[in-house]
Amino acid sequence: MNKVAGIIRVDRKVLDIDKVLQMGMTFRWRKHGQIWHGVIGRNAVQLEQKNEGVAYSCVNGDSSDSGLNSELIRFFDLERKYEIPHDDENLTNAVGKYEGIRQLQLDPIETLYSFICSSNNHISRISSMMTFLGSKGDLLAQIKSDTDVEPNLFRYQAFPSIETLAQLTEQELRAANFGYRAKFIVKTSASILENGGNSWVETLKSEDYVVAVEKLMTLAGIGRKVADCIALYGLNKRESIPLDVHLIRLANRDYNLKEAEKGLTPTRYEGIVARLRETWGRDAGWVQTVLFYKELQLSKEKKKSPKSKREKNKPRTEKKEVKVEVKEEPVELQSEAQVSSRKGPVVTTRRRAAQKIKTECDEMPLKKAKEEEF
DNA sequence: TATCGACCTGTTGGG
DNA sequence: CGAACCAGGTCGATT
């Protein structure tokens, strides 16, 4: 039945597919029983994590075995050995506790649309929106699922071309629950088409990080943070740090960042991100992913256990050995946050902002160490 | 350049 | 049960 199958021998500590496929990097993978179903390029792929590694099979036979194998290695970024600052105890602990997270190398176009949908949104809805967009793509395969009661069917669909996406109307998208992002999708599809379609997005991969971000931000619905998400997961830009209140919050707590969580202006965004890059080193983007995952887990734990009013005032940070290298000053931070505004970074001067990034990037040496790890 | 409100919709902390 | 200095932001207008 499965034309192509194999196994990638990789430890769960290096790659944990349960984590990376549902933490908010990619949104169209589904797990039925022990099997993950999804699409990579034009391959309808099934994955299962085992002790020996990740078993894979391709159910539509588009790819040769060796081809799919190397595509998966690329997809999961397995050729890279992430590096972290040796003296960062907080990070060392987080990496040790939340193992197997990778900086996925996803399809640029799908990633672009994913993160337009991500604004002011949560994973489950982004997933349903992306499934809707995916439903416009070529059907590669479909399978019946024993465990999935409702649709009882999983459809593997290639992500649609820009030409196809450009046919969607705002009305149709709003009916599909895209909300105000419907307009972004319509406008951006048209713009990309004007720029040259799929190939224009693909070429962003070979651009410098700063240029890529600058170009992405010319599109509707793509601001600074979303551009960073696309750059990180879709364009393989490791210096990219998608910055939001959660990241500021954790950096305030664990890295003495001392920044207000709100009122994130373009200038402040660049400044904070530059500092974090310095702190986290050349794999800052991956570090952000790990720490973000940690926050996700902490907030889940928090939700599970009903909290007393006492606990609420004392934000607990599971630090039994997590040594915060610097003292926190929450009071001061709060007052800062109150002074600053509530919402709304504005990007009136994108070129200016981009130039600033460039300066910062030039200072950052990017050596190309590469190691095998599986 | 910074600041603000509006924007879809789902979830949640309070009353 | 219905607001909310909400929630993984961006845009456009205004200063």
Side-chain angles (χ1 to χ4, degrees), chain A residues 263-275:
Chain A
L264 196 53
T265 64
T267 309
R268 286 192 57 226
Y269 189 108
E270 301 307 335
I272 294 171
V273 146
R275 288 177 58 194

Side-chain angles (χ1 to χ4, degrees), chain A residues 221-240:
Chain A
I222 301 183
R224 190 64 183 80
K225 189 240 173 176
V226 166
D228 259 325
C229 291
I230 299 166
L232 184 61
Y233 303 124
L235 305 176
N236 194 21
K237 304 300 181 194
R238 67 171 68 178
E239 63 268 56
S240 181

Side-chain angles (χ1 to χ4, degrees), chain A residues 101-171:
Chain A
I101 293 173
R102 313 295 305 175
Q103 178 191 327
L104 298 185
Q105 296 192 45
L106 305 166
D107 172 58
I109 293 166
E110 178 163 356
T111 306
L112 189 152
Y113 282 86
S114 295
F115 286 97
I116 287 178
C117 295
S118 79
S119 78
N120 235 339
N121 211 349
H122 53 271
I123 293 175
S124 65
R125 184 150 76 122
I126 302 168
S127 296
S128 81
M129 292 157 81
M130 288 305 289
T131 298
F132 174 82
L133 293 183
S135 75
K136 306 297 177 185
D138 294 342
L139 184 64
L140 304 169
Q142 53 186 359
I143 53 127
K144 286 206 174 100
S145 160
D146 301 332
T147 52
D148 197 7
V149 272
E150 186 44 46
N152 199 28
L153 191 71
F154 183 82
R155 298 164 66 85
Y156 304 82
Q157 293 184 272
F159 197 73
S161 68
I162 298 294
E163 283 77 8
T164 302
L165 292 164
Q167 292 173 16
L168 292 165
T169 64
E170 180 178 347
Q171 185 187 11

Side-chain angles (χ1 to χ4, degrees), chain A residues 171-234:
Chain A
Q171 185 187 11
E172 186 178 2
L173 288 164
R174 280 190 178 266
N177 210 7
F178 278 66
Y180 60 80
R181 302 159 199 85
K183 196 174 299 176
F184 295 158
I185 301 286
V186 171
K187 282 173 107 175
T188 282
S189 299
S191 300
I192 295 176
L193 211 49
E194 258 178 65
N195 293 342
N198 288 45
S199 62
W200 180 81
V201 183
E202 289 292 335
T203 55
L204 292 178
K205 278 201 274 197
S206 53
E207 301 275 19
D208 280 349
Y209 163 69
V210 178
V211 177
V213 165
E214 189 182 358
K215 290 188 174 178
L216 285 169
M217 292 198 349
T218 65
L219 301 173
I222 301 183
R224 190 64 183 80
K225 189 240 173 176
V226 166
D228 259 325
C229 291
I230 299 166
L232 184 61
Y233 303 124

